[in-house]
């Protein structure tokens, strides 16, 4: 009985030892990661290990883990425009490494590959693209400039094993002299627009005066024709209408008193008083 127990113990210990040995040869690649192995005898292996349980040779294979998720990075460059204005541009890019090319990336740039690739590429591309546009065009054609930068950077970083998912122009800052010049230009444009409206207003007034004068001339012509055909009757009617209108306006004023006409008004008054 004791021999059977000892045999069982030996089997259990052997099984646990074997399990520990097998487990020590395994490693886990987590979601969003990819790994490559560096063998101390043969060097860097070309295989890329995706997520899940993977095997290695304990003591010979070192694990190199890479984040293959999309990550953001902000890049900044000071450069000159086509019209020799200095501009400070900030980019925000979303990038990730191409998993199949991780051995090449590690062999050439190491695990801090983004520090070595993205700043130099963005600096080169931004200087080339910004030099094609004037300072004002960078603002007016922002979408076009952004698309151009994205296209060139995508082609460039692909050569190094990276993929750009998105790119945006975060900020464009011009020099102080340029900003003062832009402000002065805006003020001048506003003044010019104001004077343009003044000219339009004066032109409208001139046209109204011309139309009014033409109407008065036409009215005078019609009155002249009517007088020639009908005599002075029209003028008399106009005088009567004017007198009626004036009397109606004056009758409402408290300081106005109507008196009879005639040259002997005061004489008649004196005679009546004597009597």
């Amino acid at each position: 009985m004791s021999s059977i127990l000892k045999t069982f113990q030996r089997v259990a210990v052997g099984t646990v030892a074997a399990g520990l040995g097998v487990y020590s040869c395994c490693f886990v690649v987590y979601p969003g990661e990819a790994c490559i192995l560096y063998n101390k005898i043969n060097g860097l292996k070309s295989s890329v290990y995706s997520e899940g349980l993977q095997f290695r040779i304990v003591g010979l294979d070192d694990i190199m883990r890479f984040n293959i998720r999309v990550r953001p990075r902000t890049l900044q460059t000071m450069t000159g425009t086509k019209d020799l204005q200095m501009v400070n541009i900030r980019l925000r890019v979303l990038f990730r490494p191409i998993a199949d090319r991780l051995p090449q990336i590690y062999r050439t740039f190491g695990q801090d590959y983004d520090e070595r690739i993205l700043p130099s590429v963005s600096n080169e591309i931004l200087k080339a693209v910004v030099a094609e546009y004037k300072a004002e065009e960078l603002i007016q054609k922002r979408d076009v400039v952004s698309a151009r930068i994205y296209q060139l950077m995508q082609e460039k970083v692909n050569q190094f094993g990276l993929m750009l998912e998105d790119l945006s122009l975060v900020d464009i800052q011009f020099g102080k002299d340029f900003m003062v010049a832009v402000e002065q230009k805006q003020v001048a444009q506003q003044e010019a627009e104001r004077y343009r409206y003044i000219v339009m207003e004066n032109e409208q007034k001139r046209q109204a005066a011309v139309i009014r004068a033409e109407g008065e001339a036409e009215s005078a012509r019609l009155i002249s024709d009517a007088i020639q055909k009908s005599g002075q009757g029209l003028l008399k009617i106009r005088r009567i209408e004017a007198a009626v209108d004036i009397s109606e306006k004056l009758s409402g004023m408290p300081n106005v008193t109507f008196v009879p006409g005639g040259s002997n008004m005061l004489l008649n008054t004196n005679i009546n008083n004597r009597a």
Side-chain angles (χ1 to χ4, degrees):
M1 187 68 181
S2 60
S3 62
I4 295 175
L5 183 59
K6 290 180 180 179
T7 302
F8 180 77
Q9 289 176 346
R10 289 171 184 170
V11 172
V13 170
T15 302
V16 171
L20 291 174
V22 172
Y23 180 77
S24 65
C25 294
C26 298
F27 66 97
V28 178
V29 181
Y30 298 100
E33 286 186 342
C35 295
I36 60 175
L37 298 179
Y38 176 76
N39 187 273
K40 296 177 181 178
I41 298 176
N42 299 323
L44 190 66
K45 294 183 178 181
S46 59
S47 299
V48 178
Y49 298 87
S50 57
E51 60 184 73
L53 187 65
Q54 306 292 347
F55 295 93
R56 65 166 178 163
I57 301 175
V58 179
L60 292 180
D61 290 339
D62 293 332
I63 304 171
M64 306 295 176
R65 297 181 181 272
F66 287 85
N67 184 356
I68 60 173
R69 295 186 180 94
V70 175
R71 290 181 291 160
R73 184 180 176 91
T74 300
L75 306 166
Q76 186 169 340
T77 299
M78 176 72 76
T79 184
T81 62
K82 187 177 181 180
D83 53 352
L84 305 180
Q85 297 292 335
M86 295 305 297
V87 58
N88 188 9
I89 295 184
R90 284 198 304 130
L91 292 178
R92 186 177 186 273
V93 297
L94 298 178
F95 74 98
R96 62 177 177 83
I98 300 174
D100 295 340
R101 300 176 65 178
L102 285 176
Q104 174 191 349
I105 294 174
Y106 179 76
R107 183 179 288 110
T108 306
F109 302 103
Q111 286 187 301
D112 58 344
Y113 57 89
D114 56 320
E115 293 286 346
R116 301 173 184 271
I117 297 174
L118 293 178
S120 60
V121 170
S122 66
N123 187 59
E124 176 188 353
I125 299 301
L126 282 173
K127 287 182 181 296
V129 173
V130 172
E132 298 176 359
Y133 297 91
K134 295 181 180 179
E136 292 184 359
E137 292 176 339
L138 291 178
I139 301 175
Q140 298 170 353
K141 301 179 180 179
R142 191 184 184 110
D143 294 340
V144 176
V145 175
S146 179
R148 177 66 172 161
I149 294 172
Y150 176 78
Q151 177 189 359
L152 294 179
M153 283 196 66
Q154 181 73 280
E155 296 173 358
K156 193 70 174 180
V157 299
N158 277 346
Q159 300 175 10
F160 302 112
L162 302 184
M163 177 69 69
L164 278 188
E165 298 294 340
D166 191 24
L167 180 147
S168 61
L169 288 174
V170 177
D171 190 21
I172 301 177
Q173 295 181 350
F174 298 96
K176 184 180 295 184
D177 294 339
F178 178 77
M179 296 304 295
V180 171
V182 170
E183 183 178 355
Q184 292 176 348
K185 182 178 179 180
Q186 290 177 346
V187 172
Q189 289 177 344
Q190 292 174 357
E191 286 293 321
E193 190 71 11
R194 186 172 70 86
Y195 286 124
R196 187 172 71 87
Y197 281 116
I198 291 175
V199 171
M200 292 175 59
E201 182 182 4
N202 292 335
E203 178 65 19
Q204 292 293 331
K205 290 180 178 179
R206 186 191 66 82
Q207 292 180 0
V210 171
I211 294 173
R212 184 166 54 251
E214 291 176 349
E216 292 175 353
E218 181 66 16
S219 176
R221 186 185 64 80
L222 294 175
I223 292 173
S224 177
D225 292 343
I227 291 173
Q228 291 178 0
K229 293 180 180 179
S230 304
Q232 298 295 322
L234 179 61
L235 291 178
K236 293 179 180 179
I237 292 173
R238 290 286 186 265
R239 291 193 189 101
I240 294 171
E241 290 175 350
V244 171
D245 184 58
I246 293 171
S247 63
E248 288 177 351
K249 292 180 179 179
L250 292 177
S251 63
M253 298 181 181
N255 297 329
V256 176
T257 303
F258 288 93
V259 295
S263 58
N264 60 344
M265 180 185 66
L266 294 178
L267 180 61
N268 294 334
T269 303
N270 293 332
I271 295 173
N272 292 331
N273 290 336
R274 292 174 183 175

